[in-house]
């Protein structure tokens, strides 16, 4: 699935006009970094999450049935408080998603910086600026 997604994304990039790559958001180095990372994120988001959701749903249903059998009064009380717990989980999920977006932007900028450095490695080495580029790369990834 990841291979097919990367292939389709790459074909889509090849069909773009030259002006598309002039925009800073569509810098070729940023696009290659996204091509590398986004396909893996999609795979991990779909394959693992679906399995975990099925497992958690089954555990919840079984636990709820056992709880009703053991103490129906306590189960009714928990049923009232469960929506609050779910709401807290949704807020945490949205916060996590926004942090992932920030992290992805950081990696895009870092990948662009590393690509430029590798493309001009002879000039950087002749000027003795390797450490400055490493520091800048580390700064972009934080």
């Amino acid at each position: 699935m990841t291979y097919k997604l990367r292939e389709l994304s790459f074909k889509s990039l090849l069909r773009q006009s030259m002006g598309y790559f002039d925009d800073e958001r569509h810098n070729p180095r940023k696009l290659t970094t996204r091509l590398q990372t986004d396909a893996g994120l999609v795979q991990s988001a779909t394959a693992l999450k679906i399995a975990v959701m099925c497992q958690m749903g089954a555990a919840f249903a079984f636990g709820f049935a056992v709880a009703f059998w053991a103490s129906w009064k306590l189960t009714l009380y928990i049923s009232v408080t469960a929506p609050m717990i779910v709401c807290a989980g949704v807020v945490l999920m949205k916060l996590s998603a926004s942090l992932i977006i920030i992290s992805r932007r950081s990696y895009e900028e870092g990948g662009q910086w590393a690509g430029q450095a590798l493309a001009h490695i002879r000039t950087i080495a002749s000027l003795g600026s390797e450490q400055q580029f490493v520091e800048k790369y580390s700064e972009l990834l934080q």
Side-chain angles (χ1 to χ4, degrees), residues 8-28:
L8 292 172
S9 298
F10 185 64
K11 284 181 182 178
S12 174
L13 286 174
L14 292 178
R15 285 187 296 239
Q16 301 299 325
S17 67
M18 292 304 292
Y20 177 81
F21 299 103
D22 290 339
D23 187 0
E24 181 61 31
R25 294 174 299 159
H26 305 131
N27 184 300

Side-chain angles (χ1 to χ4, degrees), residues 117 120-130 133:
H120 304 292
I121 190 67
R122 289 183 182 171
T123 306
I124 293 169
S126 67
L127 295 173
S129 303
E130 296 94 341
F133 275 81

Side-chain angles (χ1 to χ4, degrees), residues 84-100:
M84 291 182 279
I85 295 170
V86 169
C87 288
V90 168
V91 168
L92 183 62
M93 184 177 65
K94 289 188 183 231
L95 178 65
S96 175
S98 66
L99 291 175
I100 287 172

Side-chain angles (χ1 to χ4, degrees), residues 67-123:
F68 251 114
W69 175 74
S71 173
W72 65 271
K73 290 179 183 178
L74 183 60
T75 306
L76 289 178
Y77 174 73
I78 291 172
S79 297
V80 172
T81 60
M84 291 182 279
I85 295 170
V86 169
C87 288
V90 168
V91 168
L92 183 62
M93 184 177 65
K94 289 188 183 231
L95 178 65
S96 175
S98 66
L99 291 175
I100 287 172
I101 290 171
I102 292 169
S103 174
R104 185 182 68 190
R105 288 184 185 148
S106 242
Y107 280 116
E108 284 176 6
E109 292 174 4
Q112 178 184 6
W113 187 259
Q116 289 176 353
L118 291 175
H120 304 292
I121 190 67
R122 289 183 182 171
T123 306

